[in-house]
Amino acid sequence: MAAYQLAQEALAAEFSGRWAEALAAVEARQIAGSLTELEAAYVAAIRESAAASYALSIAFYRLVRALETGRVVGGPGYRPGASLGSLWVDFNRATGKRTGSGPSTPLPVDTRNPFPAADPAREARRAAEAFRHQVADRVERHERERPAREGSAALDDPELVAWEREFLESLKTGGSGAGGMLVQDGGRDAVHIALQDDPGAIGYYRKTDDSPCYFCALMAGRGAVYKSKRTAAFGAHPHCHCQAVPIFSRRYQLPAENDKFTRMWRDFGGGSLADWRTYYRTTTKT
């Protein structure tokens, strides 16, 4: 599981790096006239990394399912005669690391394909919307403020330079957060939709990173979430690295972090989400 989560985080980081490079190639004064090129680079980077996230998640789902049920599921990437050994090879290739191996005995096959088909048009719309909110709208506001900020100041005026630097940093941070979420959603959606449509799956649990926000800690503290229409949404957010880990047997074991967050919620004793946020931040600082 750690290798899977780290690989998903690496894909988001890879996107963020490409976005930072695209921004670095344009000066702040030129960004308003470069939005078309920046959007094209932004959307292309998201779609490329999201496709890798999708493939990684399918390899992960198929491997976990086979390990827990002894059966392999069909769908994208399935190869006839698949074994635990070949599934580990596929997963290792997707993560870029050698994390496990298994026998080469072919597994029984469930031919049902629970994985969602790629929807390039939807992905492009979501990426374009993220760009509009996190980049284009910020640029528009920045350009409206520019005349008043510049006045008669020299281009190297420290306050003006700091203002431009802060603006560029907001584009980098906001664009990276929204785009990185969409990148990992390529895989998160694949897992979450598959487990809803897979008769062999019974639910999932939320695996957080090392320092989750108060919301993700609360969601992880729920423990196992059994599939139903009510639990059909995962609830990721910008800069979130949580993953849905599918469960195929009642004999699952939750990570220690989930148990810790469950105990924290119990000790909290109830209250509003804002109260929980304060309690969580205070508790995790001690």
Side-chain angles (χ1 to χ4, degrees):
M1 177 58 211
Y4 171 67
Q5 189 163 29
L6 289 173
Q8 289 287 10
E9 291 179 16
L11 289 172
E14 178 183 295
F15 158 77
S16 296
R18 292 177 62 182
W19 172 233
E21 287 179 5
L23 279 176
V26 182
E27 293 185 7
R29 290 171 166 273
Q30 300 172 332
I31 284 182
S34 305
L35 286 178
T36 300
E37 294 80 4
L38 284 173
E39 181 176 2
Y42 188 80
V43 172
I46 288 175
R47 293 184 64 183
E48 182 175 329
S49 294
S53 173
Y54 174 85
L56 168 61
S57 289
I58 288 178
F60 172 70
Y61 187 99
R62 184 173 279 125
L63 174 62
V64 172
R65 191 184 194 278
L67 288 170
E68 293 194 16
T69 68
R71 302 182 66 85
V72 65
V73 70
Y78 168 74
R79 291 177 291 166
S83 64
L84 282 177
S86 68
L87 296 183
W88 271 115
V89 168
D90 293 341
F91 180 69
N92 292 341
R93 184 180 297 115
T95 61
K97 298 181 181 297
R98 180 174 173 78
T99 58
S101 60
S104 58
T105 306
L107 295 168
V109 182
D110 292 330
T111 56
R112 183 188 184 97
N113 173 14
F115 302 109
D119 188 344
R122 175 177 176 270
E123 293 168 4
R125 285 195 303 271
R126 292 185 69 192
E129 182 178 357
F131 182 86
R132 183 172 67 254
H133 290 313
Q134 298 298 333
V135 181
D137 288 353
R138 292 173 190 254
V139 170
E140 182 180 345
R141 290 194 297 270
H142 187 77
E143 292 302 303
R144 286 200 302 266
E145 296 176 13
R146 183 183 293 281
R149 286 278 186 171
E150 288 186 340
S152 59
L155 293 179
D156 61 350
D157 178 79
E159 290 189 5
L160 186 59
V161 171
W163 179 64
E164 295 285 27
R165 185 180 298 116
E166 182 180 353
F167 163 62
L168 290 174
E169 189 63 28
S170 75
L171 294 186
K172 184 170 70 173
T173 302
S176 293
M181 181 182 72
L182 294 180
V183 165
Q184 293 185 88
D185 279 351
R188 281 189 289 239
D189 290 350
V191 169
H192 206 262
I193 293 173
L195 68 88
Q196 296 291 331
D197 197 42
D198 182 357
I202 63 174
Y204 72 96
Y205 67 83
R206 189 184 192 99
K207 177 68 173 67
T208 67
D209 58 18
D210 293 335
S211 56
C213 71
Y214 73 97
F215 172 78
C216 292
L218 177 59
M219 294 297 100
R222 294 186 300 172
V225 180
Y226 300 105
K227 64 182 185 182
S228 68
K229 291 182 179 179
R230 187 176 61 83
T231 61
F234 182 71
H237 59 80
H239 302 291
C240 175
H241 296 302
C242 294
Q243 305 296 334
V245 180
I247 298 171
F248 301 94
S249 168
R250 298 282 176 175
R251 297 186 301 276
Y252 61 85
Q253 184 172 358
L254 294 173
E257 291 83 0
N258 294 66
D259 291 333
K260 179 181 73 173
F261 298 139
T262 299
R263 290 194 300 272
M264 287 180 63
W265 175 255
R266 185 174 59 246
D267 294 341
F268 167 59
S272 68
L273 189 59
D275 292 334
W276 162 253
R277 177 175 57 195
T278 301
Y279 175 82
Y280 175 74
R281 288 177 175 174
T282 302
T283 304
T284 53
K285 285 182 179 178
T286 59

